[in-house]
């Protein structure tokens, strides 16, 4: 998620827009259109920053989270991800605390030895090999391939910090927890986009 | 050097023209504001003194009747700008009158600086400071009374007329702020 690009989208105000606005306001305005645009852009940046820091993780998170237990079989987990049309989910222990995150990437990682696995990488390897690469996963549990320790955020995190974290760690979703890492929601990149628009 | 000269090309857009109703209210305000001020000063001052002081109030009229939304036209600026500048002008004359050319430059520059610091910038204030220096002996003899007559009374009249006339127009409002 690139906030600066979103900001640029909002900053497409033109000289003509300003002149039109100045015509609609009665009286002589003692300011040039370029001065107005400069003031507008700086004020806009302040407003965006205020909004970014005012919105908390708990305001934008999805509260009904599809999750899986650590000792769930991978086959069952894959079926769950397919049925819910999701590409990843938090992994919980018996107490409901987040202990990891499992995603398509974790499955792919186990199916190829290459670094930075991708679907295409696995497909190529599949076409080269005669056996199915997924077969080796059938007997494994979630805890065997999940990414751990998980990247999570507290529900009181500012949205800007959440976005920066996801950008820095190159992740598409982040579980939202309250104290003791208890899961209360999840934020996906799409949630960030909606919150900013 | 090229960026330096490029700045001189301008390149920005001028603000749009105001409509005829705006022109009418500006004209009426300026006429009704300057009439009493000119009449009063015509009877108080003579020769260049009258020309100078009415020039300063004429410049104020552009702001308080022609650009009523401008921060420079607000009562704080109109009153504060003129009175502080009058004070600076008189003080400069009394301190530096053996060197009138220096007193003139110093008074205008100091008036601008003081108006900036006190957030009372009002361009005609520069003229008010200058008049205290370049005016006749009659002006100089007024001493700090110059702040009251002709400056204070003139400013007061112009402010009262600005409040009365500008708020008659349905799409005008004056002032934007007082202090």
């Amino acid at each position: 998620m690139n906030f600066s690009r979103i900001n640029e989208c909002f900053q497409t105000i033109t000289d003509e827009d300003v002149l039109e606005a100045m015509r609609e306001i009665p009286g002589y305005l003692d300011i040039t259109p370029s001065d107005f645009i400069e003031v507008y852009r700086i004020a806009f940046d302040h407003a965006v920053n205020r909004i970014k820091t005012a919105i908390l993780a708990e305001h934008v998170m999805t509260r009904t989270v599809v999750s899986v237990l650590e000792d769930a079989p991978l086959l069952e987990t894959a079926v769950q991800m397919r049925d819910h049309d999701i590409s990843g989910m938090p992994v919980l222990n018996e107490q409901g605390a987040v202990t990891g995150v499992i995603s398509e990437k974790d499955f792919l990682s186990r199916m190829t030895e290459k670094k930075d696995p991708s679907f295409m990488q696995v497909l190529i390897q599949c076409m080269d090999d005669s056996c199915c690469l997924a077969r080796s996963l059938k007997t494994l549990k979630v805890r065997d391939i999940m990414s751990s320790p998980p990247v999570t955020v507290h529900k009181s995190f500012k949205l800007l910090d959440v976005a920066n974290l996801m950008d820095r760690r190159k992740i598409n979703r982040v579980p939202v927890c309250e104290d003791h890492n208890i899961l209360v929601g999840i934020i996906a990149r799409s949630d960030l986009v909606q919150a900013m628009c | 050097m090229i960026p330096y000269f490029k700045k001189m090309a301008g390149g920005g857009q001028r603000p749009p023209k105001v409509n005829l109703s705006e022109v009418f209210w500006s004209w009426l305000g300026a006429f009704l504001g300057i009439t009493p001020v000119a009449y009063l000063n015509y009877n108080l001052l003579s020769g260049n003194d009258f020309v100078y002081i009415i020039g300063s109030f004429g410049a104020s009229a552009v702001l308080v009747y022609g650009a009523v939304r401008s921060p420079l036209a607000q009562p704080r600026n109109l009153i504060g700008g003129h009175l502080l500048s009058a004070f600076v002008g008189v003080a400069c004359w009394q301190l530096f009158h053996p060197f009138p050319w220096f007193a003139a430059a110093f008074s205008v520059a100091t008036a601008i600086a003081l108006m900036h610091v006190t957030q009372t910038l009002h361009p005609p204030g520069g003229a008010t400071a200058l008049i205290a220096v370049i005016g006749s002996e009659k002006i100089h003899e007024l001493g700090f009374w110059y702040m009251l007559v002709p400056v204070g009374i003139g400013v007061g009249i112009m402010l009262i007329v600005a409040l009365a006339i500008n708020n008659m127009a349905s799409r005008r409002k004056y002032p934007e702020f007082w202090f």
Side-chain angles (χ1 to χ4, degrees):
Chain A
M1 171 115 190
N2 190 332
F3 275 119
S4 61
R5 283 195 192 145
I6 287 179
N7 294 348
E8 282 163 20
C9 293
F10 283 106
Q11 294 189 40
T12 51
I13 187 168
T14 63
D15 282 4
E16 201 45 53
D17 295 329
V18 175
L19 281 171
E20 198 54 44
M22 289 174 85
R23 280 187 204 105
E24 287 173 24
I25 295 171
Y28 180 79
L29 295 180
D30 191 13
I31 186 169
T32 62
S34 57
D35 280 346
F36 176 85
I37 288 177
E38 196 175 340
V39 171
Y40 170 82
R41 288 201 169 133
I42 293 170
F44 184 86
D45 285 345
H46 281 292
V48 168
N49 281 330
R50 179 169 41 79
I51 290 164
K52 279 179 189 171
T53 53
I55 301 175
L56 304 181
E58 65 180 325
H59 296 146
V60 297
M61 68 186 186
T62 303
R63 287 170 193 277
T64 48
V65 191
V66 180
S67 61
V68 66
L69 291 173
E70 288 174 319
D71 55 0
L74 280 185
L75 177 60
E76 188 185 298
T77 306
V79 169
Q80 206 176 347
M81 285 167 69
R82 181 200 64 191
D83 291 349
H84 287 96
D85 194 23
I86 53 177
S87 59
M89 55 185 170
V91 182
L92 309 182
N93 62 15
E94 297 288 340
Q95 288 74 43
V98 181
T99 55
V101 172
I102 189 164
S103 68
E104 287 173 351
K105 217 170 179 177
D106 297 311
F107 281 88
L108 293 175
S109 291
R110 274 301 176 115
M111 292 164 69
T112 177
E113 289 169 357
K114 297 272 183 191
K115 208 181 166 191
D116 296 327
S118 66
F119 170 73
M120 280 302 157
Q121 174 62 40
V122 171
L123 187 66
I124 291 164
Q125 210 172 318
C126 263
M127 287 193 284
D128 276 349
D129 292 348
S130 54
C131 65
C132 175
L133 295 171
R135 192 175 292 275
S136 64
L137 301 177
K138 204 171 176 184
T139 58
L140 298 180
K141 307 280 189 190
V142 168
R143 70 158 64 84
D144 297 324
I145 72 162
M146 71 184 186
S147 299
S148 183
V151 179
T152 62
V153 294
H154 194 267
K155 63 181 183 181
S156 62
F157 261 46
K158 289 169 182 156
L159 190 62
L160 178 65
D161 295 332
V162 176
N164 287 336
L165 179 73
M166 290 171 74
D167 196 34
R168 200 172 61 247
R169 300 294 291 266
K170 297 190 178 0
I171 52 176
N172 295 317
R173 71 198 65 72
V174 59
V176 182
C177 301
E178 52 189 13
D179 298 339
H180 307 298
N181 238 21
I182 300 299
L183 183 72
V184 289
I186 194 163
I187 294 178
R189 285 186 174 239
S190 56
D191 296 321
L192 288 180
V193 173
Q194 280 178 353
M196 291 312 298
C197 297
Chain B
M1 284 299 273
I2 289 174
Y4 173 76
F5 287 111
K6 265 189 179 171
K7 287 183 186 176
M8 296 182 194
Q13 274 190 292
R14 64 175 182 274
K17 194 166 72 175
V18 296
N19 60 31
L20 281 177
S21 146
E22 200 62 30
V23 175
F24 166 76
W25 286 108
S26 295
W27 183 91
L28 186 67
F31 179 74
L32 296 178
I34 290 293
T35 297
V37 175
Y39 181 78
L40 183 75
N41 284 300
Y42 190 74
N43 290 300
L44 283 173
L45 305 167
S46 58
N48 284 343
D49 288 346
F50 173 72
V51 174
Y52 295 152
I53 201 74
I54 211 66
S56 177
F57 287 128
S60 288
V62 174
L63 288 165
V64 298
Y65 307 116
V68 298
R69 286 166 168 260
S70 171
L72 305 175
Q74 303 311 305
R76 177 190 174 95
N77 300 64
L78 174 70
I79 301 166
H82 273 294
L83 293 187
L84 284 172
S85 299
F87 175 82
V88 169
V90 173
C92 283
W93 172 253
Q94 294 190 351
L95 288 170
F96 308 118
H97 59 85
F99 312 100
W101 53 271
F102 177 80
F106 195 80
S107 67
V108 175
T110 309
I112 292 171
L114 196 61
M115 286 190 284
H116 261 314
V117 170
T118 55
Q119 291 185 288
T120 55
L121 196 65
H122 186 67
T128 300
L130 191 62
I131 294 161
V133 174
I134 64 171
S136 69
E137 271 310 305
K138 198 173 174 187
I139 291 271
H140 297 148
E141 281 166 9
L142 286 172
F144 287 102
W145 284 106
Y146 171 73
M147 289 173 67
L148 182 65
V149 183
V151 176
I153 288 181
V155 164
I157 292 169
M158 290 193 66
L159 178 61
I160 290 165
V161 174
L163 291 168
I165 300 299
N166 286 332
N167 291 311
M168 281 182 187
S170 60
R171 301 184 75 187
R172 271 192 184 199
K173 171 182 167 285
Y174 183 84
E176 290 292 316
F177 59 89
W178 271 94
F179 301 105

PDB file of all heavy atoms in Angstrom, chain B residues 106-128:
ATOM      1  N   PHE B 106      13.849  55.343   7.334  1.00  0.00           N
ATOM      2  CA  PHE B 106      13.808  54.573   8.584  1.00  0.00           C
ATOM      3  C   PHE B 106      12.372  54.417   9.084  1.00  0.00           C
ATOM      4  O   PHE B 106      11.983  53.360   9.600  1.00  0.00           O
ATOM      5  CB  PHE B 106      14.669  55.284   9.640  1.00  0.00           C
ATOM      6  CG  PHE B 106      14.993  54.419  10.815  1.00  0.00           C
ATOM      7  CD1 PHE B 106      16.023  53.476  10.738  1.00  0.00           C
ATOM      8  CD2 PHE B 106      14.290  54.521  12.005  1.00  0.00           C
ATOM      9  CE1 PHE B 106      16.328  52.664  11.824  1.00  0.00           C
ATOM     10  CE2 PHE B 106      14.588  53.715  13.088  1.00  0.00           C
ATOM     11  CZ  PHE B 106      15.611  52.784  13.006  1.00  0.00           C
ATOM     12  N   SER B 107      11.576  55.472   8.915  1.00  0.00           N
ATOM     13  CA  SER B 107      10.195  55.409   9.416  1.00  0.00           C
ATOM     14  C   SER B 107       9.375  54.381   8.651  1.00  0.00           C
ATOM     15  O   SER B 107       8.636  53.584   9.250  1.00  0.00           O
ATOM     16  CB  SER B 107       9.530  56.792   9.326  1.00  0.00           C
ATOM     17  OG  SER B 107       9.361  57.164   7.981  1.00  0.00           O
ATOM     18  N   VAL B 108       9.515  54.373   7.323  1.00  0.00           N
ATOM     19  CA  VAL B 108       8.718  53.423   6.518  1.00  0.00           C
ATOM     20  C   VAL B 108       9.161  51.992   6.820  1.00  0.00           C
ATOM     21  O   VAL B 108       8.329  51.104   7.053  1.00  0.00           O
ATOM     22  CB  VAL B 108       8.855  53.724   5.014  1.00  0.00           C
ATOM     23  CG1 VAL B 108       8.130  52.655   4.191  1.00  0.00           C
ATOM     24  CG2 VAL B 108       8.283  55.097   4.690  1.00  0.00           C
ATOM     25  N   ALA B 109      10.478  51.775   6.825  1.00  0.00           N
ATOM     26  CA  ALA B 109      10.985  50.419   7.067  1.00  0.00           C
ATOM     27  C   ALA B 109      10.571  49.925   8.456  1.00  0.00           C
ATOM     28  O   ALA B 109      10.121  48.777   8.617  1.00  0.00           O
ATOM     29  CB  ALA B 109      12.503  50.411   6.934  1.00  0.00           C
ATOM     30  N   THR B 110      10.688  50.783   9.447  1.00  0.00           N
ATOM     31  CA  THR B 110      10.343  50.379  10.814  1.00  0.00           C
ATOM     32  C   THR B 110       8.842  50.148  10.956  1.00  0.00           C
ATOM     33  O   THR B 110       8.402  49.225  11.652  1.00  0.00           O
ATOM     34  CB  THR B 110      10.814  51.446  11.822  1.00  0.00           C
ATOM     35  OG1 THR B 110      12.189  51.723  11.567  1.00  0.00           O
ATOM     36  CG2 THR B 110      10.646  50.987  13.255  1.00  0.00           C
ATOM     37  N   ALA B 111       8.067  50.995  10.280  1.00  0.00           N
ATOM     38  CA  ALA B 111       6.609  50.813  10.337  1.00  0.00           C
ATOM     39  C   ALA B 111       6.216  49.456   9.765  1.00  0.00           C
ATOM     40  O   ALA B 111       5.386  48.743  10.352  1.00  0.00           O
ATOM     41  CB  ALA B 111       5.909  51.940   9.563  1.00  0.00           C
ATOM     42  N   ILE B 112       6.838  49.093   8.647  1.00  0.00           N
ATOM     43  CA  ILE B 112       6.520  47.787   8.046  1.00  0.00           C
ATOM     44  C   ILE B 112       6.898  46.661   9.015  1.00  0.00           C
ATOM     45  O   ILE B 112       6.114  45.727   9.243  1.00  0.00           O
ATOM     46  CB  ILE B 112       7.265  47.599   6.699  1.00  0.00           C
ATOM     47  CG1 ILE B 112       6.700  48.572   5.656  1.00  0.00           C
ATOM     48  CG2 ILE B 112       7.138  46.163   6.201  1.00  0.00           C
ATOM     49  CD1 ILE B 112       7.503  48.630   4.370  1.00  0.00           C
ATOM     50  N   ALA B 113       8.092  46.762   9.576  1.00  0.00           N
ATOM     51  CA  ALA B 113       8.544  45.717  10.504  1.00  0.00           C
ATOM     52  C   ALA B 113       7.600  45.610  11.705  1.00  0.00           C
ATOM     53  O   ALA B 113       7.206  44.508  12.103  1.00  0.00           O
ATOM     54  CB  ALA B 113       9.968  46.023  10.974  1.00  0.00           C
ATOM     55  N   LEU B 114       7.226  46.751  12.248  1.00  0.00           N
ATOM     56  CA  LEU B 114       6.354  46.760  13.425  1.00  0.00           C
ATOM     57  C   LEU B 114       4.963  46.203  13.093  1.00  0.00           C
ATOM     58  O   LEU B 114       4.365  45.465  13.892  1.00  0.00           O
ATOM     59  CB  LEU B 114       6.248  48.192  13.967  1.00  0.00           C
ATOM     60  CG  LEU B 114       5.710  48.337  15.376  1.00  0.00           C
ATOM     61  CD1 LEU B 114       6.600  47.619  16.387  1.00  0.00           C
ATOM     62  CD2 LEU B 114       5.615  49.814  15.759  1.00  0.00           C
ATOM     63  N   MET B 115       4.474  46.555  11.911  1.00  0.00           N
ATOM     64  CA  MET B 115       3.160  46.030  11.506  1.00  0.00           C
ATOM     65  C   MET B 115       3.219  44.513  11.347  1.00  0.00           C
ATOM     66  O   MET B 115       2.276  43.800  11.690  1.00  0.00           O
ATOM     67  CB  MET B 115       2.689  46.706  10.213  1.00  0.00           C
ATOM     68  CG  MET B 115       2.218  48.136  10.404  1.00  0.00           C
ATOM     69  SD  MET B 115       1.400  48.816   8.945  1.00  0.00           S
ATOM     70  CE  MET B 115       2.777  49.159   7.849  1.00  0.00           C
ATOM     71  N   HIS B 116       4.340  44.025  10.805  1.00  0.00           N
ATOM     72  CA  HIS B 116       4.499  42.576  10.681  1.00  0.00           C
ATOM     73  C   HIS B 116       4.473  41.923  12.052  1.00  0.00           C
ATOM     74  O   HIS B 116       3.745  40.951  12.287  1.00  0.00           O
ATOM     75  CB  HIS B 116       5.844  42.255  10.016  1.00  0.00           C
ATOM     76  CG  HIS B 116       5.727  41.959   8.541  1.00  0.00           C
ATOM     77  ND1 HIS B 116       4.773  41.116   8.028  1.00  0.00           N
ATOM     78  CD2 HIS B 116       6.465  42.396   7.479  1.00  0.00           C
ATOM     79  CE1 HIS B 116       4.910  41.052   6.718  1.00  0.00           C
ATOM     80  NE2 HIS B 116       5.929  41.824   6.356  1.00  0.00           N
ATOM     81  N   VAL B 117       5.282  42.448  12.950  1.00  0.00           N
ATOM     82  CA  VAL B 117       5.432  41.846  14.281  1.00  0.00           C
ATOM     83  C   VAL B 117       4.100  41.848  15.027  1.00  0.00           C
ATOM     84  O   VAL B 117       3.775  40.893  15.742  1.00  0.00           O
ATOM     85  CB  VAL B 117       6.512  42.612  15.081  1.00  0.00           C
ATOM     86  CG1 VAL B 117       6.530  42.189  16.542  1.00  0.00           C
ATOM     87  CG2 VAL B 117       7.886  42.364  14.467  1.00  0.00           C
ATOM     88  N   THR B 118       3.326  42.903  14.851  1.00  0.00           N
ATOM     89  CA  THR B 118       2.069  43.022  15.597  1.00  0.00           C
ATOM     90  C   THR B 118       0.868  42.487  14.808  1.00  0.00           C
ATOM     91  O   THR B 118      -0.272  42.649  15.238  1.00  0.00           O
ATOM     92  CB  THR B 118       1.808  44.502  15.958  1.00  0.00           C
ATOM     93  OG1 THR B 118       1.850  45.278  14.739  1.00  0.00           O
ATOM     94  CG2 THR B 118       2.862  45.030  16.916  1.00  0.00           C
ATOM     95  N   GLN B 119       1.136  41.879  13.684  1.00  0.00           N
ATOM     96  CA  GLN B 119       0.073  41.343  12.810  1.00  0.00           C
ATOM     97  C   GLN B 119      -0.966  42.406  12.469  1.00  0.00           C
ATOM     98  O   GLN B 119      -2.173  42.175  12.572  1.00  0.00           O
ATOM     99  CB  GLN B 119      -0.602  40.145  13.465  1.00  0.00           C
ATOM    100  CG  GLN B 119       0.298  38.931  13.557  1.00  0.00           C
ATOM    101  CD  GLN B 119      -0.441  37.740  14.103  1.00  0.00           C
ATOM    102  OE1 GLN B 119      -0.756  37.693  15.292  1.00  0.00           O
ATOM    103  NE2 GLN B 119      -0.726  36.773  13.270  1.00  0.00           N
ATOM    104  N   THR B 120      -0.469  43.570  12.123  1.00  0.00           N
ATOM    105  CA  THR B 120      -1.372  44.665  11.749  1.00  0.00           C
ATOM    106  C   THR B 120      -0.979  45.229  10.383  1.00  0.00           C
ATOM    107  O   THR B 120      -1.198  46.409  10.121  1.00  0.00           O
ATOM    108  CB  THR B 120      -1.308  45.802  12.788  1.00  0.00           C
ATOM    109  OG1 THR B 120       0.062  46.218  12.921  1.00  0.00           O
ATOM    110  CG2 THR B 120      -1.839  45.389  14.133  1.00  0.00           C
ATOM    111  N   LEU B 121      -0.407  44.384   9.526  1.00  0.00           N
ATOM    112  CA  LEU B 121       0.083  44.894   8.236  1.00  0.00           C
ATOM    113  C   LEU B 121      -1.048  45.554   7.444  1.00  0.00           C
ATOM    114  O   LEU B 121      -2.103  44.954   7.216  1.00  0.00           O
ATOM    115  CB  LEU B 121       0.697  43.747   7.421  1.00  0.00           C
ATOM    116  CG  LEU B 121       1.581  44.183   6.251  1.00  0.00           C
ATOM    117  CD1 LEU B 121       2.825  44.908   6.750  1.00  0.00           C
ATOM    118  CD2 LEU B 121       1.976  42.981   5.396  1.00  0.00           C
ATOM    119  N   HIS B 122      -0.812  46.809   7.080  1.00  0.00           N
ATOM    120  CA  HIS B 122      -1.802  47.579   6.328  1.00  0.00           C
ATOM    121  C   HIS B 122      -0.970  48.517   5.438  1.00  0.00           C
ATOM    122  O   HIS B 122      -0.380  49.489   5.948  1.00  0.00           O
ATOM    123  CB  HIS B 122      -2.692  48.364   7.301  1.00  0.00           C
ATOM    124  CG  HIS B 122      -3.823  49.082   6.645  1.00  0.00           C
ATOM    125  ND1 HIS B 122      -4.877  48.434   6.045  1.00  0.00           N
ATOM    126  CD2 HIS B 122      -4.062  50.410   6.479  1.00  0.00           C
ATOM    127  CE1 HIS B 122      -5.726  49.327   5.549  1.00  0.00           C
ATOM    128  NE2 HIS B 122      -5.256  50.527   5.797  1.00  0.00           N
ATOM    129  N   PRO B 123      -0.873  48.223   4.144  1.00  0.00           N
ATOM    130  CA  PRO B 123       0.060  48.951   3.276  1.00  0.00           C
ATOM    131  C   PRO B 123       0.013  50.478   3.392  1.00  0.00           C
ATOM    132  O   PRO B 123       1.077  51.123   3.420  1.00  0.00           O
ATOM    133  CB  PRO B 123      -0.319  48.465   1.875  1.00  0.00           C
ATOM    134  CG  PRO B 123      -0.840  47.089   2.115  1.00  0.00           C
ATOM    135  CD  PRO B 123      -1.565  47.148   3.429  1.00  0.00           C
ATOM    136  N   PRO B 124      -1.183  51.091   3.491  1.00  0.00           N
ATOM    137  CA  PRO B 124      -1.175  52.555   3.597  1.00  0.00           C
ATOM    138  C   PRO B 124      -0.470  53.075   4.851  1.00  0.00           C
ATOM    139  O   PRO B 124      -0.135  54.268   4.941  1.00  0.00           O
ATOM    140  CB  PRO B 124      -2.662  52.920   3.626  1.00  0.00           C
ATOM    141  CG  PRO B 124      -3.335  51.765   2.966  1.00  0.00           C
ATOM    142  CD  PRO B 124      -2.548  50.568   3.376  1.00  0.00           C
ATOM    143  N   GLY B 125      -0.237  52.188   5.816  1.00  0.00           N
ATOM    144  CA  GLY B 125       0.502  52.584   7.018  1.00  0.00           C
ATOM    145  C   GLY B 125       1.878  53.127   6.668  1.00  0.00           C
ATOM    146  O   GLY B 125       2.379  54.053   7.333  1.00  0.00           O
ATOM    147  N   GLY B 126       2.486  52.578   5.639  1.00  0.00           N
ATOM    148  CA  GLY B 126       3.797  53.069   5.212  1.00  0.00           C
ATOM    149  C   GLY B 126       3.735  54.548   4.833  1.00  0.00           C
ATOM    150  O   GLY B 126       4.631  55.335   5.175  1.00  0.00           O
ATOM    151  N   ALA B 127       2.638  54.919   4.160  1.00  0.00           N
ATOM    152  CA  ALA B 127       2.458  56.325   3.774  1.00  0.00           C
ATOM    153  C   ALA B 127       2.219  57.190   5.012  1.00  0.00           C
ATOM    154  O   ALA B 127       2.744  58.309   5.118  1.00  0.00           O
ATOM    155  CB  ALA B 127       1.287  56.447   2.798  1.00  0.00           C
ATOM    156  N   THR B 128       1.452  56.652   5.946  1.00  0.00           N
ATOM    157  CA  THR B 128       1.164  57.416   7.171  1.00  0.00           C
ATOM    158  C   THR B 128       2.448  57.718   7.942  1.00  0.00           C
ATOM    159  O   THR B 128       2.620  58.829   8.473  1.00  0.00           O
ATOM    160  CB  THR B 128       0.167  56.615   8.053  1.00  0.00           C
ATOM    161  OG1 THR B 128      -1.017  56.414   7.301  1.00  0.00           O
ATOM    162  CG2 THR B 128      -0.173  57.351   9.323  1.00  0.00           C
TER     163      THR B 128
END
